[in-house]
Amino acid sequence: MVQSEGLPARGVVFWPVGTGDSTTVVVDDLVVLQVDLHDMAKADDEATPEVAVVDRLIEALPLVDGVPYLATFALTHADKDHCLGFADLLDRVRIGELWSTPRLWREYNDPDAPALCADAVAFREESERRIAATMEAVKAAEAPASGDRIRVIGYDDDHGSHAYDELPDEYLAWPGQSLTVLDGHERAGVFEAFIHAPFKDDAASARNETSLSMQVTLTDETGVDGKVLLFGDLAHDTIMKIFDYSEYYDREQYLAWDLLLAPHHCSKRVMYQKDSDGNERLQLDVLNAFERNARPNGIIVSSSGVFPDVDVDGHNPPHRMAADRYAEIADEVICTMSWVDEAAPSPVVFGVDATGARVIRGDLVHSAATEAKSELAASATGRRFAAITAAAVAVGNAIPTAAVAAPSGAGPERVDAAVAADRGGSSAPETPVGFGR
């Protein structure tokens, strides 16, 4: 792939979408992996800036046979702030492959489980359609077509009652396994996703603790690589299990990170636990684990609303005390909703090329729209990373305009209010569970 003097050709974009996750991994001009989605325009709340994340993402995707094409969509877990807008995306894009986890079917089979949001139901139903299509292909001694592919990641002892039970192993994955194929495109040498979780022992745990967790490695043709850790909404105990298992089995290379996406939107439950008296006790083991596996100049990104000046007991993340602890172990802590400009936040753009793995800063990000327009016009697929970056910049730029039409309060505050509405209020439950539960 030819490099220009602009943005790298390969990297990860963290969109400014309030307290929720929308992470886009650009492997090359054709292959894009979307991890979670939070389309602010779909939130059922009058205070939400109606910024259409799905619209912008679709505009930036490659066209295959005249249709927008997303190689893979991975859902870490089925909370609303991780899948909002999925049904809309599915209707308008050919998604080659889904990455799902067993938790969807455990909740579906549990009459006492809280109802899933509409987009989570759409994801489960689409997963089941793909499972059926895959089984039909297997019976015909064929491979499923792009648009019918699925991979179920994780293990559940109750799999016998789940729709994916008879899928051949090639359509499954487990912790300890590396994946280099996205929708049939082998990208070994430039892309690797090492699966850390969900663990078999956590199958019946709270939804957050069943999050898909992985280390994504992107490698430039020169051999320079960049490593990103994605832990979904995991809390302390499960994160420590990941570190303990990987270190025990001499897999420390899969713990290394240049960029860590702060688990659970910068929740204090990653490094604080309450004692018997209800006091918050700092757990240094997880901070030490993060720090010893950080590569030089490691950066932590929180996909969240603006950090509060002071935490209020019982409120959902982001938490100031977590941000302060991260600042003690990382070179920099970045909040997606206050990066560069709090009124019109910029996406956090992590690029990998011959000069290194780094967060792209300055004019390069905001000139992405010009670069994307010229290079896409000159090529059938063009520079995908520039196009995705430009789309995320457009989302950030639209927040002040959308805020004018919304009720009083700052743009980020409206996003936080919408997220609180999604979750049923601003107060967090006593035990870590999924938002919207």
Side-chain angles (χ1 to χ4, degrees):
M1 186 180 297
V2 177
Q3 287 287 125
S4 76
E5 294 181 355
L7 288 169
R10 187 166 292 122
V12 185
V13 176
F14 301 89
W15 297 58
V17 292
T19 301
D21 277 339
S22 288
T23 302
T24 307
V25 180
V26 179
V27 180
D28 54 38
D29 286 342
L30 177 64
V31 178
V32 177
L33 163 66
Q34 182 69 28
V35 182
D36 292 335
L37 179 66
H38 188 235
D39 190 339
M40 294 182 287
K42 303 296 186 295
D44 297 326
D45 188 271
E46 294 181 355
T48 307
E50 294 187 1
V51 180
V53 175
V54 169
D55 290 353
R56 301 289 81 77
L57 174 61
I58 291 173
E59 292 171 356
L61 291 174
L63 294 177
V64 175
D65 298 327
V67 178
Y69 169 66
L70 175 64
T72 303
F73 184 97
L75 181 63
T76 61
H77 62 297
D79 281 350
K80 190 173 184 179
D81 55 333
H82 291 257
C83 64
L84 193 61
F86 173 78
D88 185 27
L89 183 70
L90 181 65
D91 285 343
R92 301 164 61 190
V93 170
R94 191 184 96 203
I95 303 176
E97 180 179 39
L98 295 185
W99 287 4
S100 184
T101 61
R103 176 70 185 201
L104 279 172
W105 289 279
R106 177 175 280 270
E107 291 197 22
Y108 180 63
N109 292 338
D110 181 0
D112 296 324
L116 294 170
C117 70
D119 284 289
V121 171
F123 186 89
R124 189 197 69 232
E125 291 177 346
E126 175 64 9
S127 296
E128 293 185 349
R129 186 198 67 78
R130 289 169 182 248
I131 290 168
T134 298
M135 294 308 301
E136 286 298 315
V138 169
K139 290 176 183 177
E142 299 174 351
S146 175
D148 287 338
R149 295 183 176 129
I150 187 168
R151 188 181 295 272
V152 179
I153 302 175
Y155 184 90
D156 191 324
D157 284 332
D158 288 348
H159 63 85
S161 62
H162 297 170
Y164 62 86
D165 181 51
E166 296 183 1
L167 280 178
D169 285 355
E170 63 189 287
Y171 305 108
L172 306 174
W174 299 272
Q177 182 176 353
S178 286
L179 303 177
T180 59
V181 178
L182 295 165
D183 189 35
H185 303 289
E186 175 61 75
R187 291 298 187 263
V190 297
F191 167 84
E192 178 183 19
F194 181 84
I195 305 302
H196 282 297
F199 290 112
K200 172 183 176 181
D201 294 344
D202 296 324
S205 298
R207 187 187 295 165
N208 283 357
E209 299 309 318
T210 66
S211 292
L212 171 62
S213 174
M214 55 188 165
Q215 179 207 56
V216 172
T217 300
L218 296 175
T219 306
D220 182 71
E221 284 78 1
T222 62
V224 175
D225 65 25
K227 297 181 181 293
V228 177
L229 280 182
L230 304 175
F231 284 146
D233 279 4
L234 297 181
H236 173 271
D237 290 353
T238 309
I239 293 172
M240 281 310 303
K241 190 184 300 185
I242 288 172
F243 282 111
D244 291 343
Y245 281 13
S246 295
E247 290 172 349
Y248 178 82
Y249 288 107
D250 296 323
R251 294 172 177 163
E252 289 91 342
Q253 72 270 28
Y254 296 114
L255 298 172
W257 56 277
D258 296 288
L259 187 150
L260 167 68
L261 183 61
H264 201 176
H265 320 291
C266 203
S267 169
K268 64 184 177 182
R269 289 294 158 240
V270 171
M271 74 287 289
Y272 283 92
Q273 293 184 324
K274 288 189 175 183
D275 61 19
S276 57
D277 296 323
N279 299 313
E280 300 285 3
R281 297 298 182 189
L282 179 63
Q283 308 298 307
L284 287 173
D285 55 353
V286 70
L287 291 174
N288 291 337
F290 284 140
E291 186 172 25
R292 68 174 172 266
N293 288 288
R295 299 172 100 179
N297 306 311
I299 290 177
I300 296 176
V301 172
S302 175
S303 187
S304 70
V306 177
F307 300 142
D309 293 330
V310 178
D311 289 325
V312 176
D313 190 41
H315 277 203
N316 278 310
H319 296 135
R320 167 57 65 179
M321 60 199 305
D324 289 346
R325 299 294 79 72
Y326 284 135
E328 294 167 358
I329 64 169
D331 276 32
E332 187 173 9
V333 177
I334 296 173
C335 171
T336 53
M337 287 303 286
S338 60
W339 179 231
V340 181
D341 182 352
E342 185 174 324
S346 175
V348 180
V349 180
F350 176 78
V352 181
D353 60 17
T355 64
R358 66 209 182 278
V359 169
I360 308 297
R361 302 167 189 272
D363 293 338
L364 267 183
V365 171
H366 285 271
S367 66
T370 301
E371 179 177 349
K373 183 176 180 180
S374 61
E375 297 199 29
L376 288 171
S379 170
T381 50
R383 288 294 300 281
R384 198 56 49 199
F385 192 46
I388 296 292
T389 297
V393 168
V395 165
N397 288 342
I399 288 175
T401 302
V404 170
S408 60
E413 291 172 352
R414 292 192 181 93
V415 174
D416 289 342
V419 172
D422 287 349
R423 298 170 181 167
S426 62
S427 296
E430 289 300 317
T431 57
V433 297
F435 292 156
R437 291 196 58 168

